[in-house]
Amino acid sequence: MEKFDLQAHLDGVYTRYPEAEYRPIIGITGNYEDLTCKLGKGYYQSVVAAGGVPVVIPPVADADTIVNTLERVDALILSGGGDINPLWVGEQPSPKLHGINQERDLPELMTARLAYNRQIPMMGICRGIQTLAMALGGKVAQDISDVAGLKHSQDADRSEPTHNVVLEKESVISQIYNTSILHVNSFHHQAVTDPGEKFHVVARSSDGIVEAMESSEYKPIIGVQWHPECLQDGLPLFRWLVDKAVAYRRAHQLHDRVLTLDTHCDTPMFFPQGIRFDHRDPKILVDLHKMTEGRQDATIMVAYLPQPTSHPTAYADQIFDEIEAIVDQNSRYICIARTPADLYENKRQGLKSIMLGIENGIAIDGRLENLQHFAERGIVYMTLCHNGDNDICDSASKSSHTHGGVSSFGEQVIREMNRLGIMVDLSHAGEKSFYDALEMSCMPVVCSHSSSRALCDHPRNLTDDQMRALAAKGGVAQTTIYSGFLRKNGEANIMDVMDHLEHAIKIMGIDHVGIGTDFDGDGGVRGLADSSELICFTRQLLARRYSESDIQKIWGGNFLRVMSMVQNGKK
């Protein structure tokens, strides 16, 4: 192929199909200098060498531009450059502060925060690690000269390592390099002093300066203080990012095809506080922004009734009125669904869905005819009880063993629910109530948000025998992510959720499991803190090599199978 023969180069493209194999898009924030957007060649050359496609992101502080850019990239590199204005984190400038770059500050801080919300893999380099910290709750020293014991701004060539960093054992970077010590270059006078809650420090220089940090939430985010794009052995970090970009895009594409249903959230409890569902409201864990960021299609919002509740039927109706008002206000984006077919049609039209449920059978106020009323409102399930016995059954928590299981009235309730096509939900039911209801129901039953007692000994969780009995009757148990139901001691996280799910699969089989988050009912753990992080659940499933068919079953397919059977009156 001759150097200046354009056609010969094109023939190299056109004589094969496809013209190019898929490669993930890696956005790199550009520097700003002399009225131009600049980028050192090491960044984009490293991305290409690692198997990615580099795209330079100019420093534009326009939200629409940033959001649309992030929709089109699979990973993000926050590149190096000048100091960040300390006013962005409420600090006054130190006399040792160097030149700030006001063109970059706001665009990159916004980009980092929005990319974080979307679970986009990120790597921050030099200024980039500082951007990550400042954007997400950490702190940066404006100048480290007073505490540094090493020279952190070398005179040697940029490709020359000049000091060592010690890596934390089991850190991602130590696994990438299979070592505990790295030789790095150094071009900085600032450094992260506090990574904040979303990161933990994984590398320091011998004088204690932070040299690297990683996500403390099991997310694919790394920040390094050195410049790997200049080092001969820097490529492994870029390969890691490209690998995470591939996984990110694969999860997104899967969510395009798979219906994702969370079977239990308590968000309506917050609606009386003036919540705007079309805002990214920090008071709630489920809203349109978070559902979109996490690629969540649907949720079952419950009318939760504490005990006692005055006029419980009217109270539940008021909650459903508020849900329907929220949906009406946002009808361009979300719709009430009452059947599995509604869910799939809404997804086809690009709409998100809310289904209605009741948490605590006191909602019917002791009257069977109220079940007909709620069936007409469109509820898909009713949890027989909550914490404490009611007139239907004994509870798993705060029980006085009032009935010794399901009451005679409760048996009538279960029969009527079967007749009306309302699923019987046994989350919160005591163990004897569970077995009674399982026997009384002529339809499969569900546990909309219950985890495994074998892994966390709590009466709200299901024993292995309960799981087997539930599966034998065709029912499903939806793993919940309430910390106290996942582990007895310490802080639960996404890995605990996966352990409970996989235990349920081991005991019940893949056809009888799912997820019911209990968001806004104290559900949410590190790594699965709200709806925006639900795609992280999918990434964990893919990493464990579950098939697309199995993932669809877990993400609501099993639950919807039972819903269809119950609504159609066919066992």
Side-chain angles (χ1 to χ4, degrees), residues 240-287:
W240 171 86
L241 187 68
V242 168
D243 286 345
K244 298 304 179 183
V246 171
Y248 172 81
R249 183 53 55 189
R250 186 182 174 200
H252 266 232
Q253 291 170 341
L254 185 64
H255 275 236
D256 289 340
R257 300 187 297 270
V258 166
L259 179 73
T260 53
L261 170 67
D262 169 15
T263 60
H264 189 92
C265 85
D266 284 292
T267 308
M269 286 197 297
F270 291 86
F271 288 168
Q273 300 180 20
I275 298 300
R276 285 288 303 272
F277 202 66
D278 59 341
H279 289 196
R280 198 176 200 279
D281 196 315
K283 295 189 290 295
I284 55 177
L285 304 183
V286 183
D287 56 38

XYZ file of all heavy atoms in Angstrom, residues 240-287:
405
model
N -8.062 -1.577 31.029
C -9.111 -1.765 32.050
C -10.320 -0.901 31.729
O -11.457 -1.375 31.774
C -8.553 -1.403 33.431
C -9.598 -1.346 34.498
C -10.070 -2.384 35.247
C -10.333 -0.192 34.919
N -11.038 -1.956 36.110
C -11.230 -0.616 35.936
C -10.323 1.151 34.557
C -12.105 0.270 36.579
C -11.184 2.035 35.185
C -12.062 1.596 36.184
N -10.080 0.364 31.400
C -11.191 1.272 31.109
C -11.960 0.815 29.881
O -13.198 0.847 29.863
C -10.670 2.696 30.915
C -11.761 3.766 30.763
C -12.520 3.945 32.072
C -11.163 5.100 30.317
N -11.257 0.391 28.842
C -11.924 -0.075 27.633
C -12.753 -1.319 27.925
O -13.891 -1.460 27.443
C -10.898 -0.332 26.509
C -11.538 -1.091 25.350
C -10.312 0.987 26.016
N -12.233 -2.234 28.733
C -13.006 -3.421 29.120
C -14.289 -3.025 29.850
O -15.363 -3.593 29.596
C -12.172 -4.331 30.012
C -11.101 -5.082 29.250
O -11.170 -5.121 28.008
O -10.181 -5.628 29.898
N -14.199 -2.058 30.754
C -15.379 -1.604 31.481
C -16.348 -0.883 30.553
O -17.578 -0.962 30.741
C -14.978 -0.692 32.640
C -14.113 -1.373 33.684
C -14.780 -2.631 34.241
C -13.911 -3.338 35.260
N -14.531 -4.598 35.747
N -15.830 -0.201 29.556
C -16.686 0.458 28.575
C -17.486 -0.565 27.772
O -18.669 -0.361 27.486
C -15.843 1.327 27.640
N -16.846 -1.650 27.402
C -17.545 -2.725 26.684
C -18.670 -3.290 27.551
O -19.797 -3.499 27.079
C -16.560 -3.837 26.283
C -17.307 -5.054 25.747
C -15.567 -3.319 25.243
N -18.385 -3.519 28.834
C -19.408 -4.060 29.742
C -20.551 -3.070 29.927
O -21.724 -3.460 30.005
C -18.768 -4.392 31.088
N -20.223 -1.794 29.993
C -21.243 -0.748 30.150
C -22.186 -0.734 28.950
O -23.411 -0.719 29.095
C -20.556 0.597 30.304
C -21.476 1.795 30.281
C -22.181 2.180 31.413
C -21.618 2.565 29.122
C -23.013 3.289 31.399
C -22.448 3.675 29.096
C -23.141 4.030 30.242
O -23.966 5.126 30.217
N -21.626 -0.755 27.757
C -22.458 -0.722 26.548
C -23.274 -2.001 26.425
O -24.439 -1.976 26.016
C -21.576 -0.524 25.313
C -22.342 -0.401 24.004
C -23.418 0.670 24.066
N -22.883 1.960 24.474
C -23.634 3.020 24.765
N -24.944 2.929 24.711
N -23.081 4.155 25.129
N -22.696 -3.114 26.800
C -23.432 -4.378 26.726
C -24.644 -4.351 27.656
O -25.736 -4.794 27.292
C -22.506 -5.540 27.107
C -23.150 -6.902 26.927
C -22.223 -8.009 27.368
N -22.892 -9.310 27.329
C -22.495 -10.381 27.995
N -21.435 -10.316 28.777
N -23.159 -11.510 27.899
N -24.465 -3.807 28.858
C -25.586 -3.705 29.798
C -26.664 -2.776 29.253
O -27.861 -3.059 29.364
C -25.086 -3.212 31.152
N -26.260 -1.658 28.651
C -27.236 -0.737 28.069
C -28.033 -1.407 26.959
O -29.260 -1.261 26.876
C -26.509 0.500 27.522
C -26.447 1.619 28.502
N -26.839 2.901 28.209
C -26.062 1.650 29.797
C -26.687 3.675 29.266
N -26.208 2.935 30.249
N -27.351 -2.114 26.086
C -28.030 -2.771 24.981
C -28.968 -3.853 25.495
O -30.061 -4.050 24.941
C -26.987 -3.365 24.029
C -26.191 -2.303 23.270
C -25.007 -2.876 22.509
O -24.539 -3.979 22.786
N -24.507 -2.128 21.540
N -28.577 -4.536 26.552
C -29.444 -5.545 27.149
C -30.710 -4.903 27.697
O -31.820 -5.415 27.511
C -28.703 -6.287 28.251
C -29.439 -7.463 28.892
C -29.692 -8.563 27.861
C -28.649 -8.013 30.060
N -30.574 -3.749 28.347
C -31.746 -3.060 28.888
C -32.674 -2.553 27.784
O -33.864 -2.366 28.027
C -31.306 -1.898 29.782
C -31.005 -2.311 31.188
N -31.605 -1.750 32.286
C -30.167 -3.274 31.678
C -31.154 -2.320 33.385
N -30.267 -3.245 33.038
N -32.137 -2.342 26.599
C -33.005 -1.972 25.480
C -33.956 -3.115 25.125
O -35.081 -2.884 24.675
C -32.165 -1.611 24.245
C -31.435 -0.283 24.399
O -31.852 0.531 25.246
O -30.447 -0.078 23.668
N -33.492 -4.346 25.338
C -34.274 -5.516 24.933
C -35.077 -6.130 26.085
O -36.110 -6.746 25.850
C -33.334 -6.587 24.358
C -32.549 -6.149 23.147
C -31.779 -7.306 22.537
N -30.782 -7.869 23.425
C -29.519 -7.480 23.506
N -29.089 -6.468 22.747
N -28.662 -8.077 24.319
N -34.573 -5.992 27.303
C -35.144 -6.664 28.465
C -36.004 -5.691 29.267
O -35.627 -4.545 29.476
C -34.005 -7.232 29.344
C -34.513 -7.622 30.719
C -33.354 -8.426 28.662
N -37.164 -6.142 29.703
C -38.018 -5.333 30.575
C -37.491 -5.430 32.004
O -37.309 -6.524 32.543
C -39.460 -5.833 30.529
C -40.441 -5.079 31.431
C -40.746 -3.708 30.849
C -41.719 -5.874 31.625
N -37.248 -4.278 32.636
C -36.710 -4.252 33.993
C -37.773 -3.756 34.957
O -38.214 -2.612 34.882
C -35.462 -3.360 34.060
O -35.756 -2.071 33.516
C -34.317 -3.970 33.272
N -38.181 -4.648 35.874
C -39.251 -4.356 36.831
C -38.742 -4.539 38.257
O -38.270 -5.614 38.620
C -40.437 -5.299 36.593
C -41.542 -5.292 37.658
C -42.279 -3.961 37.678
C -42.519 -6.446 37.420
N -38.844 -3.479 39.053
C -38.628 -3.556 40.494
C -39.995 -3.795 41.121
O -40.917 -3.004 40.932
C -38.008 -2.249 40.995
C -37.986 -2.136 42.514
O -38.173 -3.156 43.196
O -37.776 -1.010 43.007
N -40.126 -4.877 41.896
C -41.460 -5.283 42.347
C -41.907 -4.650 43.659
O -43.006 -4.959 44.130
C -41.545 -6.812 42.480
O -40.568 -7.261 43.445
C -41.298 -7.484 41.146
N -41.105 -3.760 44.241
C -41.580 -3.131 45.478
C -40.802 -1.854 45.782
O -39.597 -1.887 46.026
C -41.438 -4.080 46.670
C -42.103 -3.571 47.909
N -43.406 -3.892 48.232
C -41.669 -2.759 48.896
C -43.732 -3.298 49.376
N -42.689 -2.604 49.801
N -41.498 -0.708 45.786
C -40.902 0.527 46.299
C -41.951 1.311 47.066
O -43.155 1.207 46.802
C -40.263 1.363 45.199
S -41.370 2.464 44.311
N -41.481 2.095 48.036
C -42.350 2.842 48.943
C -42.303 4.345 48.684
O -42.664 5.137 49.565
C -41.940 2.572 50.392
C -42.401 1.215 50.888
O -43.616 1.033 51.042
O -41.556 0.339 51.118
N -41.886 4.742 47.516
C -41.742 6.161 47.196
C -43.003 6.986 47.464
O -42.892 8.151 47.879
C -41.290 6.319 45.731
O -40.129 5.501 45.513
C -40.957 7.761 45.404
N -44.214 6.455 47.264
C -45.410 7.277 47.524
C -45.498 7.836 48.942
O -46.213 8.825 49.166
C -46.565 6.312 47.231
C -46.018 5.370 46.216
C -44.590 5.166 46.627
N -44.786 7.243 49.894
C -44.801 7.791 51.252
C -44.301 9.237 51.271
O -44.654 10.015 52.149
C -43.927 6.948 52.188
C -44.523 5.618 52.568
S -43.705 4.895 54.033
C -42.043 4.655 53.424
N -43.478 9.589 50.278
C -42.879 10.923 50.256
C -43.683 11.921 49.422
O -43.390 13.118 49.438
C -41.442 10.840 49.718
C -40.503 10.134 50.644
C -40.371 8.758 50.616
C -39.740 10.856 51.554
C -39.499 8.102 51.480
C -38.865 10.218 52.423
C -38.750 8.829 52.386
N -44.667 11.452 48.676
C -45.402 12.356 47.793
C -46.094 13.499 48.540
O -46.153 14.612 48.013
C -46.413 11.575 46.955
C -45.786 10.727 45.872
C -46.523 9.783 45.181
C -44.445 10.869 45.542
C -45.948 9.002 44.182
C -43.854 10.095 44.550
C -44.612 9.162 43.874
N -46.622 13.289 49.748
C -47.240 14.421 50.447
C -46.266 15.547 50.785
O -46.690 16.652 51.144
C -47.798 13.777 51.735
C -48.012 12.347 51.382
C -46.882 12.017 50.463
N -44.958 15.295 50.652
C -43.959 16.314 50.954
C -43.690 17.242 49.766
O -42.731 18.018 49.776
C -42.658 15.659 51.402
C -42.793 14.809 52.649
C -41.478 14.181 53.064
O -40.399 14.638 52.671
N -41.556 13.122 53.859
N -44.538 17.156 48.749
C -44.358 18.035 47.595
C -43.280 17.588 46.635
O -42.634 18.408 45.983
N -43.085 16.283 46.531
C -42.073 15.728 45.631
C -42.434 16.017 44.177
O -43.592 15.901 43.780
C -41.947 14.212 45.846
C -41.486 13.916 47.275
C -41.015 13.582 44.834
C -40.150 14.498 47.634
N -41.439 16.405 43.396
C -41.606 16.535 41.944
C -40.948 15.328 41.290
O -39.723 15.183 41.320
C -40.977 17.834 41.457
C -41.769 19.088 41.782
C -43.025 19.216 40.937
N -42.739 19.192 39.515
C -42.448 20.290 38.797
N -42.410 21.483 39.384
N -42.210 20.203 37.495
N -41.744 14.454 40.725
C -41.214 13.214 40.174
C -40.345 13.454 38.946
O -39.539 12.610 38.577
C -42.371 12.268 39.834
C -41.973 10.823 39.751
C -41.552 10.142 40.878
C -42.029 10.134 38.549
C -41.184 8.805 40.812
C -41.667 8.803 38.468
C -41.246 8.135 39.606
N -40.508 14.628 38.313
C -39.688 14.941 37.147
C -38.413 15.675 37.540
O -37.665 16.132 36.669
C -40.482 15.761 36.128
C -40.995 17.072 36.704
O -41.070 17.197 37.938
O -41.333 17.968 35.899
N -38.140 15.825 38.835
C -36.888 16.386 39.327
C -36.008 15.257 39.842
O -36.506 14.206 40.249
C -37.147 17.367 40.474
C -37.780 18.642 40.026
N -37.801 19.769 40.819
C -38.402 18.992 38.889
C -38.418 20.748 40.184
N -38.798 20.288 39.001
N -34.701 15.493 39.856
C -33.811 14.533 40.529
C -33.776 14.930 41.997
O -32.899 15.649 42.453
C -32.420 14.544 39.912
C -31.613 13.295 40.267
C -30.261 13.243 39.582
N -29.742 11.892 39.555
C -29.129 11.300 40.567
N -28.951 11.950 41.705
N -28.680 10.060 40.455
N -34.770 14.437 42.719
C -35.016 14.897 44.078
C -34.203 14.068 45.071
O -34.348 12.844 45.131
C -36.515 14.770 44.402
C -36.916 15.565 45.617
O -36.190 15.497 46.630
O -37.949 16.260 45.562
N -33.335 14.702 45.873
C -32.501 13.937 46.814
C -33.287 13.286 47.940
O -32.756 12.424 48.646
C -31.528 14.999 47.362
C -32.245 16.295 47.196
C -33.052 16.156 45.936
N -34.555 13.673 48.115
C -35.351 13.094 49.201
C -35.895 11.715 48.850
O -36.357 10.987 49.728
C -36.518 14.034 49.555
C -36.094 15.377 50.137
C -37.270 16.166 50.672
C -38.173 16.675 49.554
N -37.512 17.654 48.692
N -35.891 11.351 47.567
C -36.443 10.062 47.164
C -35.428 9.285 46.329
O -34.523 9.866 45.714
C -37.770 10.218 46.376
C -37.593 11.154 45.172
C -38.870 10.709 47.298
C -38.839 11.285 44.318
N -35.598 7.983 46.303
C -34.672 7.103 45.594
C -35.170 6.703 44.215
O -34.428 6.102 43.436
C -34.417 5.836 46.429
C -33.894 6.063 47.851
C -33.617 4.721 48.534
C -32.644 6.928 47.844
N -36.433 7.023 43.928
C -37.021 6.670 42.633
C -37.681 7.909 42.055
O -38.597 8.473 42.661
C -38.070 5.543 42.771
C -38.617 5.151 41.396
C -37.481 4.335 43.481
N -37.204 8.368 40.911
C -37.858 9.444 40.164
C -37.508 9.258 38.692
O -36.783 8.315 38.336
C -37.460 10.837 40.685
C -35.953 11.084 40.678
O -35.276 10.636 39.734
O -35.447 11.744 41.610
